[in-house]
């Protein structure tokens, strides 16, 4: 399936979970927030939440700012 | 040196200087400047993870979460909707409810869009956020933000990053008289005397980024700002003498040597 992660199209295995996506991208889950189709996914749900074809995912974290 | 503590939403802080984490030449320089500033609250921005550079680690790898309270901002948000979304993401990423809410109205001035700010503040307070809004130096607006349940108001002293200093001391003074929540001057400071002036006015705290990060020696400027804030606060608490037009001698005018 194809999902959009931070604006980029990516090929992923069907039914991959948020947790698996983060692992695949080597992103430690503790310091990010994940939004799927504008819905924020609580960290406790990363392992269960399965993604679907065409889902739009935003993965954000903190950077320097004022 | 004993100075009263800063209390925001029931939490006490020793430092009245809040600093940003943007624009530093390196993470090491940022860490050294934060340390030199003595700040306990530091602002951060919320941005997309750069998927290509994830291996390089993130900013939080350099910051001790036990030492600093992170204050995520909504910089670059121009609508209430975007700001609210950013705050919700920040809460999920940082597991804290405290946010610096800014809704900008214009790219050239970076002045707040106060209408959108009020809208966002109302929603976020309703969702349990501790909202610290960056706002105009307008007392009516600040009173409205207080009534909505904001934990502080953060009026600007001059445009963000301008270094023009405290351009509006009388407006800031009026705001301090009108609201009971902390008044934190946010934006506009250029050097240590500006920080001292803000604190001498009686502001509860001051937030700055560019004045430190953009200085030739950011670590030295961070220390200068710390001292400026402490000196200004002490002077405020000490109570300055009234200004007078004419001289008053400091030495006795009696028992003068005879002619």
């Amino acid at each position: 399936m194809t999902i959009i992660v931070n604006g980029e199209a990516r090929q992923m295995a069907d039914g991959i979970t948020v947790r698996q996506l983060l692992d695949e991208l080597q992103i430690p889950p503790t310091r990010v927030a994940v939004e799927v189709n504008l819905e924020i996914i609580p960290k406790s749900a990363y392992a269960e939440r399965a993604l679907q074809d065409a889902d739009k995912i935003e993965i954000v974290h903190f950077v320097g700012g004022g | 040196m004993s100075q009263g503590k800063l209390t925001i939403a029931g939490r006490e802080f020793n430092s009245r200087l809040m600093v940003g984490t943007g624009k530093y030449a390196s993470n090491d320089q940022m860490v050294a400047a934060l340390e030199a500033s003595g700040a306990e609250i530091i602002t951060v921005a919320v941005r997309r993870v750069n998927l290509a550079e994830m291996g390089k680690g993130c900013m939080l790898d350099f910051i001790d979460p036990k030492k600093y309270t992170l204050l995520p901002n909504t910089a670059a948000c121009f609508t209430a909707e975007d700001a609210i979304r950013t705050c919700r993401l920040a809460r999920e990423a940082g597991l804290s409810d405290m946010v610096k809410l800014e809704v900008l109205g214009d790219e050239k001035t970076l002045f707040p869009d106060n209408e959108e700010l009020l809208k966002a503040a109302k929603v976020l307070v309703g969702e349990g956020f501790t909202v610290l809004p960056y706002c105009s130096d307008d007392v009516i607006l600040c009173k409205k933000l207080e009534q909505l349940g904001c934990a502080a108001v953060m009026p600007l002293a001059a445009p963000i990053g301008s270094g023009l200093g405290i351009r509006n001391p009388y407006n800031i003074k009026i705001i301090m008289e009108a609201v009971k929540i902390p008044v934190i001057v946010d934006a506009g400071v250029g050097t240590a005397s500006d920080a001292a002036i803000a604190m001498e006015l009686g502001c509860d705290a001051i937030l700055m980024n560019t004045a430190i990060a953009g200085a030739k020696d950011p670590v030295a400027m961070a220390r200068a700002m710390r001292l400026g804030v402490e000196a200004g606060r002490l002077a405020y608490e000490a109570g300055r003498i009234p200004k007078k037009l004419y001289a008053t001698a400091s030495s006795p005018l009696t028992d003068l040597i005879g002619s």
Side-chain angles (χ1 to χ4, degrees), chain B residues 159-181:
Chain B
I160 292 175
S162 69
L164 288 173
I166 314 298
R167 297 295 84 206
N168 48 5
Y170 303 105
N171 284 4
I172 300 282
K173 254 188 137 45
I174 291 171
I175 291 167
M176 285 186 312
E177 279 189 24
V179 303
K180 291 188 186 71
I181 51 177

Side-chain angles (χ1 to χ4, degrees), chain A residues 4-8 10 25-28 30-35 38 40-44 46 57-66, chain B residues 19-22 43-51 54 58-61 70 72-73 85 88-90 92-95 100 102 207 209:
Chain A
I4 312 292
V5 185
N6 287 359
E8 285 173 30
R10 290 193 170 238
L25 296 170
Q26 296 182 308
I27 296 172
T30 48
R31 289 171 177 178
V32 295
V34 178
E35 209 183 54
L38 297 178
I40 293 176
I41 311 300
K43 286 187 172 45
S44 55
Y46 286 177
I57 295 117
E58 291 287 334
I59 306 172
V60 301
H61 66 164
F62 293 141
V63 301
Chain B
V19 298
T21 55
T43 59
V44 293
V46 180
R47 292 290 180 273
R48 277 177 168 172
V49 169
N50 184 335
L51 300 176
M54 203 49 214
C58 70
M59 193 196 77
L60 287 191
D61 295 338
L70 295 185
N73 69 27
R85 182 183 180 197
R88 289 173 180 157
L89 285 165
E92 188 57 33
L95 306 172
K100 171 183 163 179
E102 51 184 296
L207 196 166
N209 190 154

